[in-house]
Amino acid sequence: MKICLDNNNFFRNMCSGNPILFGQKEFENAVVKIGNDILNSYDFHDEKIGLIGVSRGALPLLTAISHYVNNRNISIMQIQMTNSDKIKDYGETRFINEMVDESVNSFIIIEDVVSHGRCSNFVINRLKNIGKKVLNVYSIIMNEDFEELNYDQDIDLKYVYKITNEQWIQFFWEKTPQITSCEI
């Protein structure tokens, strides 16, 4: 199930053809919304739950959420879809590396953007194959055109903002010279 943590808040692109600049204020709002939902949903004192970020995009959110919920059981899965810096140049999802805390059996996946679900599915299946349980997926942004995560477990995708398939987000920490962003 897809669950919006911020009243189905849409990002709107004010200038056609350019990415939307996602600022620090919006990021901090997402950290608070996701962090509070995690704190209200899970008891880190009674069970050992880890946070796993999908490298590279989710690493800023992983760090911020880890601090917000005071959970230092973080792991990283590095996967790649393209070698290109071109917008929407998706390739095949491929595994590169992982640093998964073997002492943790249950994970919360942290993503920056879920645009079609291939990365989330890949991480879920990889964790499942190494005997780990996935509790939920949290993302800053979800593509509204995205249909299903298509996996066996009862896992929700919880997100803060949504975009359309035609929109593209440039986060404030990304400094890609060939991209001209418009502010929201």
Side-chain angles (χ1 to χ4, degrees):
M1 178 184 318
K2 296 178 287 192
I3 300 170
C4 183
L5 300 174
D6 199 28
N7 299 320
N8 288 316
N9 198 4
F10 258 101
F11 264 72
R12 295 285 181 210
N13 195 344
M14 303 314 244
C15 50
S16 68
N18 290 327
I20 303 168
L21 180 60
F22 187 90
Q24 185 172 348
K25 179 182 174 186
E26 292 80 21
F27 178 76
E28 290 170 356
N29 178 58
V31 169
V32 169
K33 298 285 185 184
I34 292 170
N36 286 341
D37 192 78
I38 289 172
L39 288 171
N40 290 328
S41 301
Y42 305 102
D43 186 355
F44 294 118
H45 296 98
D46 286 345
E47 62 180 298
K48 190 164 184 181
I49 298 172
L51 305 172
I52 188 165
V54 181
S55 175
R56 11 175 243 193
L59 297 185
L61 183 61
L62 174 66
T63 301
I65 294 296
S66 171
H67 287 287
Y68 192 89
V69 302
N70 196 26
N71 181 335
R72 301 305 185 260
N73 294 323
I74 63 170
S75 296
I76 298 169
M77 188 166 300
Q78 185 179 10
I79 57 178
Q80 184 179 33
M81 291 181 56
T82 183
N83 285 324
S84 171
D85 284 331
K86 293 180 182 174
I87 293 175
K88 300 196 183 220
D89 184 13
Y90 303 121
E92 290 300 316
T93 306
R94 91 180 164 91
F95 175 79
I96 297 175
N97 197 2
E98 65 188 29
M99 291 170 268
V100 177
D101 185 342
E102 292 184 19
S103 70
V104 175
N105 289 323
S106 298
F107 284 94
I108 297 168
I109 297 174
I110 306 294
E111 282 263 38
D112 58 343
V113 178
V114 175
S115 59
H116 44 66
R118 287 189 287 170
C119 289
S120 297
N121 277 322
F122 190 92
V123 174
I124 289 165
N125 290 329
R126 175 73 183 152
L127 288 171
K128 184 178 172 185
N129 288 340
I130 61 173
K132 306 296 182 182
K133 179 179 179 182
V134 175
L135 300 173
N136 275 316
V137 176
Y138 285 88
S139 181
I140 299 173
I141 296 168
M142 189 227 23
N143 182 333
E144 78 161 336
D145 302 320
F146 175 63
E147 291 299 323
E148 296 296 328
L149 284 173
N150 298 324
Y151 44 77
D152 299 335
Q153 300 176 33
D154 185 24
I155 300 170
D156 292 328
L157 167 61
K158 297 184 177 187
Y159 62 95
V160 181
Y161 303 102
K162 62 183 169 179
I163 60 173
T164 66
N165 197 37
E166 292 77 37
Q167 294 173 311
W168 185 263
I169 298 294
Q170 180 180 342
F171 291 101
F172 68 95
W173 58 82
E174 296 176 317
K175 299 294 181 196
T176 308
Q178 71 267 26
I179 297 177
T180 304
S181 297
C182 52
E183 303 245 357
I184 56 169

